[in-house]
Amino acid sequence: MPIRLIERRPDVSPDRLLSECVPPPRFEPVRFGTYRPDPAEPSQATALAVLRERGTTLAKPRQERTWWRRKAAEQPGKAGVYLDGGFGVGKTHLLASLWHEASGPKMYCTFVELTNLVGALGMRRAVEALTPYRLICIDEFELDDPGDTVLISRLLGQLVEAGVQLAATSNTLPDRLGEGRFQATDFLREIQGLAARFDVLRIDGQDYRHRGLPNAPTPLTDAEVERLAAGRDGASCDHFVDLHRHLAELHPSKFGALLDGVTAVGLQDIREIDDENVALRLVVLADRMYDRDIPLLASGVPLDRMFDERMLKGGYRKKYLRALSRLIALARAGMGQDGRHGDEEERE
């Protein structure tokens, strides 16, 4: 009998949320030594050298934090580094490598995970929990929600004052490759008072994989999804509408726990989405599934038609494209096809 995700209501402690803030499994083995700069793009070698230097400093044992030491440390360098560039140039590879190089305590999360953490803990408790960290790495810093950006700017401002080092990457749309400097300008404007604390490193280069979405596999039937899920230990099976209604009742910080022990996710009767709230919750679920390499068994509309055309042209477009790329990869994995290379972030 398949698991029903709609019957789960996980309770997630703050300690668990913080313990899960590490690079996803696909970036566990990466290091600076495994990054291969393109000889035709010198900015890649420059970024590697700068981050190696920061990593060397952060690998040293941490000195006691005093007001004098904190002020002295602020003078020669800046508290943050921002990697700006398009898809497939290795920003996430470099960010994860910096995290691996640094001594702890340290934290690695996406921008969405950080906003979810603040939402779950509240600003005061989040500041208290994160102040002891030496380094916080934020992947996919998103600029499409001014409210979230200002919230995180407030948080990071307080952490920088406490001596926390920061590193972040951008999330530039595929059709904006070459316009990364605008992305950097947006970032510096949105983080307001923090801007002077960041060094911006532009990483140029072509995406070493395809651009755009891979082809979505042919959907299964509802009966096939049920049958395949029933034949896999630990697989779940839910109707699409039932699941997205259930997600509306859970805080997004609990979506990872919702998938505990799940070996495959079956979704029956996927329909085109025209509701932004529903879509954004499914984006978070797709991210948590992808982090855990959980295959997808899907029926209904093809995955590349899950978000309507209006939404794919709107302000959250990059989130939807990322989710589609990931879900298509997971669906191919679920059907025994090679679908693990469709995401824009993976860098060997």
Side-chain angles (χ1 to χ4, degrees):
M1 181 76 175
I3 295 167
R4 304 296 178 187
L5 296 181
I6 60 172
E7 297 175 356
R8 292 184 162 192
R9 292 188 173 275
D11 184 22
V12 182
S13 70
D15 287 344
R16 172 170 175 172
L17 290 177
L18 291 169
S19 70
E20 292 178 342
C21 288
V22 297
R26 67 188 59 251
F27 288 104
E28 169 57 34
V30 304
R31 298 294 187 274
F32 288 130
T34 61
Y35 182 77
R36 300 288 180 262
D38 184 347
E41 299 290 353
S43 62
Q44 295 185 14
T46 299
L48 175 61
V50 171
L51 288 181
R52 271 189 187 276
E53 183 177 357
R54 285 180 181 259
T56 299
T57 300
L58 289 168
K60 296 175 182 177
R62 188 177 193 175
Q63 294 180 317
E64 180 185 357
R65 277 186 187 167
T66 64
W67 181 90
W68 182 85
R69 286 191 186 279
R70 195 164 64 240
K71 289 299 178 185
E74 288 175 2
Q75 301 307 313
K78 297 190 177 182
V81 59
Y82 178 71
L83 305 180
D84 179 47
F87 290 163
V89 296
K91 302 187 304 297
T92 300
H93 186 133
L94 290 171
L95 187 70
S97 298
L98 179 65
W99 186 91
H100 286 302
E101 193 78 9
S103 62
K106 55 189 177 179
M107 174 179 174
Y108 183 106
C109 60
T110 65
F111 180 85
V112 171
E113 287 172 327
L114 186 57
T115 57
N116 288 341
L117 180 67
V118 176
L121 299 181
M123 178 62 76
R124 182 182 61 80
R125 289 181 66 198
V127 171
E128 291 175 354
L130 301 182
T131 294
Y133 283 71
R134 188 177 194 190
L135 171 69
I136 295 179
C137 295
I138 308 167
D139 201 16
E140 303 170 359
F141 203 105
E142 299 182 348
L143 303 170
D144 46 26
D145 189 322
D148 281 347
T149 307
V150 171
L151 175 74
I152 297 304
S153 179
R154 256 186 72 203
L155 171 71
L156 298 183
Q158 295 183 60
L159 297 179
V160 166
E161 288 300 320
V164 180
Q165 289 282 312
L166 306 173
T169 71
S170 67
N171 193 346
T172 306
L173 288 171
D175 59 3
R176 289 190 61 189
L177 290 176
E179 298 180 18
R181 289 177 181 81
F182 293 106
Q183 188 81 353
T185 300
D186 292 343
F187 171 78
L188 295 175
R189 182 188 67 246
E190 294 294 345
I191 63 173
Q192 300 173 8
L194 271 179
R197 307 288 186 93
F198 274 81
D199 284 321
V200 175
L201 295 177
R202 168 68 185 171
I203 306 180
D204 295 303
Q206 296 297 311
D207 186 344
Y208 75 103
R209 300 159 305 246
H210 63 81
R211 298 202 185 160
L213 287 172
N215 294 325
T218 301
L220 302 167
T221 66
D222 288 354
E224 286 173 328
V225 171
E226 182 79 29
R227 176 177 57 80
L228 290 171
R232 299 190 187 193
D233 289 339
S236 69
C237 185
D238 294 272
H239 191 278
F240 181 70
V241 174
D242 292 338
L243 181 61
H244 77 62
R245 287 175 177 168
H246 183 59
L247 294 179
E249 299 175 355
L250 300 177
H251 190 276
S253 63
K254 298 182 178 182
F255 288 9
L258 187 70
L259 298 168
D260 282 353
V262 174
T263 59
V265 169
L267 277 182
Q268 296 174 310
D269 192 21
I270 291 177
R271 304 177 184 183
E272 184 177 81
I273 304 169
D274 58 8
D275 184 311
E276 208 89 76
N277 293 317
V278 172
L280 291 173
R281 284 189 284 267
L282 287 168
V283 167
V284 176
L285 183 68
D287 287 343
R288 300 293 79 78
M289 289 173 58
Y290 192 79
D291 287 346
R292 292 159 174 77
D293 283 324
I294 299 176
L296 173 65
L297 307 168
S299 64
V301 301
L303 290 169
D304 52 11
R305 287 170 37 202
M306 192 169 75
F307 302 116
D308 74 12
E309 287 295 322
R310 175 186 58 83
M311 299 176 73
L312 289 178
K313 295 176 181 177
Y316 294 113
R317 180 184 174 221
K318 64 175 174 284
K319 293 189 183 210
Y320 301 145
L321 290 175
R322 183 181 77 229
L324 290 177
S325 178
R326 291 180 165 188
L327 289 172
I328 289 171
L330 295 175
R332 290 188 174 280
M335 298 174 71
Q337 302 174 20
D338 182 10
R340 296 179 181 270
H341 302 290
D343 186 63
E344 69 277 2
E345 300 156 327
E346 188 176 340
R347 174 82 183 233
E348 296 297 330

